[in-house]
Amino acid sequence: MIKLHDKYFVPYVTATELDEVVSELARNLKRDMEGEVPVFLSVLNGSFMFTSDFVKKYDGDCEVSFIKLASYCGTESTGTVKELVGVNQSLKGRSVVVLEDIIDSGNTLEVIYDLLKKEKVKDLKIVTLFFKPVAFTKKLKIDYIGKEIPNRFIVGYGLDYDELGRNLPEVYQLKRKKMINLVLFGKPGAGKGTQANFLKEKYSLKHISTGDVFRFNIKNETELGKLAKTYIDNGELVPDEVTINMLKAEVEKNLDAAGFIFDGFPRTTAQAKALDELMQYEGMQVDATIALEADDEVLIQRLLERGKVSGRSDDQDEEKIRNRFTEYNEKTAPLTEYYKKQNKFHSINGVGTIEDITERLSKVIDSLVAVNTMKDK
Ligand code: IMP
Ligand code: MG
């Protein structure tokens, strides 16, 4: 971990990985530059290190030129881009390749497109080392992307935080305050939803119920929702990748939460691995999985009661309920093992008053908070 000004940053992309990403960008561009002598237009300041490495790896004739733009203040985009040094050579009739260190909101890119419109270039391509898809608000073409990253501030390899950090040979990511991310397990009727509602208030967590996320995406006809619907309409299971992308969008919408409660996901070991990957991408981790345990006969009585009130057909038929339990047992058992190996599995007695059960869950969560506080010191 490093400190720049008042903030802490953790290692994110190694020098080796940067080298590989830059090499691949240079190779891909060269392949498309048949017979051309491109003018590389490097966008200062951030791109100086990327430009230096990129042109060394570009195996062919080329020219190098610079423009200087600025839009950031500290770790926040200001929304206005200042042109500090403009294009100072004729680019008319040339193949111009813009070299950007990072594209975030796209404000800078928009200015670059405007700037070059006047230049009557023959061809324009945009190469960026980093791209933050969640932050990007424009409909502008980016031809080559080195690495897509989450919407999180990074420094190093030319990128700065208030001018510090540009000289670092690897990339660091702004340290996230410690979150508490939980997975709630439990058979139908175990009280996951009820408990999640109490816990999210008590600990400022965001409750992500896969069922709700699905319904939201389908109702609002998001791209992922439409995709999911094609599978559902064909009577097929929605692939994990689609579900995880929906969860990713949900996580990225709620980055100011103190943590997340995942409910209804993961259901299989493959999904647990996918969730771990998502958490790692976001610079987070699953801290604990908590299973609400209750005897099948107790749950059946609860569900039959609930079915009478809610009218949910799948809660009114004992046979169907037992089938859902069997499925749970088959799929969740290996999942329990997966989390036990990581020392993250907790089991809670799910029989008692709602308050009693919240109390039991809180004990587990409070112990995680205590550990986090210790780690932050
Ligand atoms: P945009 O105009 O929002 O696309 O931002 C582009 C400029 O903002 C980049 O050229 C950087 O100078 C700066 N920037 C955006 N994200 C980061 C970051 O994570 N670290 C450092 N600088 C950034
Ligand atoms: Mg830049």
Side-chain angles (χ1 to χ4, degrees), residues 62-121:
C62 61
E63 292 177 27
V64 185
S65 195
F66 297 90
I67 54 173
K68 180 161 168 163
L69 305 172
S71 73
Y72 252 63
C73 181
T75 59
E76 297 293 326
S77 178
T78 59
T80 51
V81 181
K82 276 189 291 198
E83 183 182 328
L84 303 174
V85 177
V87 184
N88 59 2
Q89 85 181 80
S90 169
L91 297 173
K92 195 172 163 208
R94 302 296 307 268
S95 276
V96 175
V97 179
V98 170
L99 297 183
E100 261 288 27
D101 47 345
I102 187 163
I103 295 175
D104 180 326
S105 68
N107 289 336
T108 311
L109 185 62
E110 192 166 48
V111 170
I112 293 171
Y113 267 110
D114 282 347
L115 228 120
L116 291 172
K117 224 183 273 164
K118 302 171 203 143
E119 298 290 326
K120 305 209 162 42
V121 302

Side-chain angles (χ1 to χ4, degrees), residues 302-348:
R302 270 192 208 168
L303 285 172
L304 291 173
E305 284 302 315
R306 183 169 90 177
K308 273 188 224 155
V309 181
S310 71
R312 265 179 69 162
S313 63
D314 55 346
D315 284 349
Q316 292 179 23
D317 179 336
E318 192 171 326
E319 185 68 25
K320 279 189 191 155
I321 295 173
R322 285 193 194 276
N323 282 341
R324 278 148 75 199
F325 287 178
T326 311
E327 195 191 306
Y328 177 91
N329 287 337
E330 279 167 7
K331 296 221 170 117
T332 329
L335 207 48
T336 310
E337 275 313 301
Y338 180 83
Y339 286 113
K340 272 187 185 158
K341 276 199 196 114
Q342 300 185 17
N343 274 328
K344 289 180 181 166
F345 186 78
H346 304 261
S347 168
I348 296 287

